[in-house]
Amino acid sequence: MKSVKDLFSRKPKETKLSSPAGTGGEGGQRDVVMEMYEKYKDKEDNQIGPEGIFELCSDMNLEPTDVKLLILAWKLNAETQGYFTRTEWQRGMEGMRVDSPQSLLAKLDSVHRQLRGASSSQAFKEFYRFSFRFSRSPGQKALEIDTVKALLPTVLPPPHPHVEKLLEFLNESPTIRGFNEDQWASFLLFSHDIKPDFSNFDPDGAWPSVLDDYASYCKEKKEGVQLEPLGPLDGQREAPWEGIGESSVPELWGWAIRKPSE
């Protein structure tokens, strides 16, 4: 993904809000949470958009491409890339019991550590599935392949099993244009169940064909077999790819690449 270090030309502003959560009960916390919302929301759309998210990142000293922003979208149950509604913000922030950029960052750090330490947990499975749905382009049922390549090592960073080899396989399989939700979800299960040497892989199992092709690719490469390029139909058998274009670097999560207007 592109660097975003040049997006912030000023030092993060010190955020001054009223009394912290707990000093005034639930009503006091709600007031502080909504003060934050008013600070970051777009004045015209009445929701937090890309500019507000960049400002929030600046206040937290957090890069907009950090996976913690995706975790935040998950905890807010956000529906639209690059935007947080008033309801999403209020419910999510109160649910996390945070009321400042500093306490929010501490919470996101904590959740990130928990997710990284338990990729087989139900919480991680929910986050992993959310990351697929949230990162799709509007109106599409599948993730474009460039997005898969960028997102997968972000939510499943090395040395998670099979990630690095799958990315190598995808880079050498130009006819694979995307992943549907079943393929995305199946890879998480595959990465936990199938040993790195594929000794327990059953070619007659119920895996999506793209994972069958991946396993064959790795076995053939290990045995030194000359690989044939995938044919025009291989790797695409599960999903219709209508509407998936030739994308360049994906704008993950709606705010990760573009700089908000001055």
Side-chain angles (χ1 to χ4, degrees), residues 11-202:
K11 295 182 179 180
K13 295 186 291 185
E14 182 178 354
T15 305
K16 296 183 179 180
L17 300 172
S18 58
S19 58
T23 60
E26 292 184 3
Q29 182 187 9
R30 183 174 296 111
D31 290 344
V32 178
V33 165
M34 297 318 296
E35 283 184 34
M36 287 184 68
Y37 181 81
E38 292 296 324
K39 171 181 169 62
Y40 297 118
K41 76 171 184 179
D42 186 282
K43 305 310 181 210
E44 296 180 359
D45 293 340
N46 196 29
Q47 61 184 334
I48 297 176
E51 292 189 19
I53 292 172
F54 271 85
E55 186 175 2
L56 175 62
C57 288
S58 181
D59 287 344
M60 293 192 294
N61 285 319
L62 190 69
E63 292 285 0
T65 51
D66 196 300
V67 70
K68 296 183 186 70
L69 265 294
L70 183 58
I71 293 173
L72 174 59
W74 172 53
K75 299 302 285 186
L76 298 184
N77 197 25
E79 292 188 0
T80 306
Q81 294 181 24
Y83 294 90
F84 300 146
T85 68
R86 182 184 184 92
T87 299
E88 291 168 350
W89 180 266
Q90 181 175 330
R91 290 178 178 174
M93 295 289 282
E94 291 178 359
M96 289 186 285
R97 300 186 63 81
V98 295
D99 60 3
S100 70
Q102 295 73 29
S103 62
L104 175 57
L105 179 60
K107 181 66 175 181
L108 294 176
D109 284 338
S110 175
V111 175
H112 185 217
R113 288 193 300 270
Q114 293 171 11
L115 292 175
R116 290 200 63 174
S119 61
S120 60
S121 67
Q122 184 60 36
F124 185 88
K125 292 175 184 177
E126 292 173 2
F127 168 67
Y128 181 80
R129 190 174 291 273
F130 172 86
S131 70
F132 174 91
R133 295 172 179 172
F134 189 69
S135 301
R136 286 181 299 193
S137 297
Q140 294 186 354
K141 294 183 178 181
L143 279 183
E144 295 182 4
I145 199 61
D146 283 342
T147 305
V148 173
K149 293 176 184 177
L151 184 61
L152 195 60
T154 301
V155 297
L156 287 174
H160 191 86
H162 292 289
V163 172
E164 196 169 322
K165 288 182 180 179
L166 180 70
L167 293 175
E168 179 183 309
F169 164 70
L170 294 177
N171 284 330
E172 296 189 20
S173 306
T175 59
I176 299 177
R177 300 174 61 187
F179 267 37
N180 62 29
E181 189 165 0
D182 178 64
Q183 292 167 329
W184 177 263
S186 294
F187 177 71
L188 180 62
L189 181 62
F190 184 99
S191 70
H192 285 297
D193 288 359
I194 304 303
K195 296 178 180 179
D197 63 359
F198 297 92
S199 59
N200 64 336
F201 176 76
D202 179 5

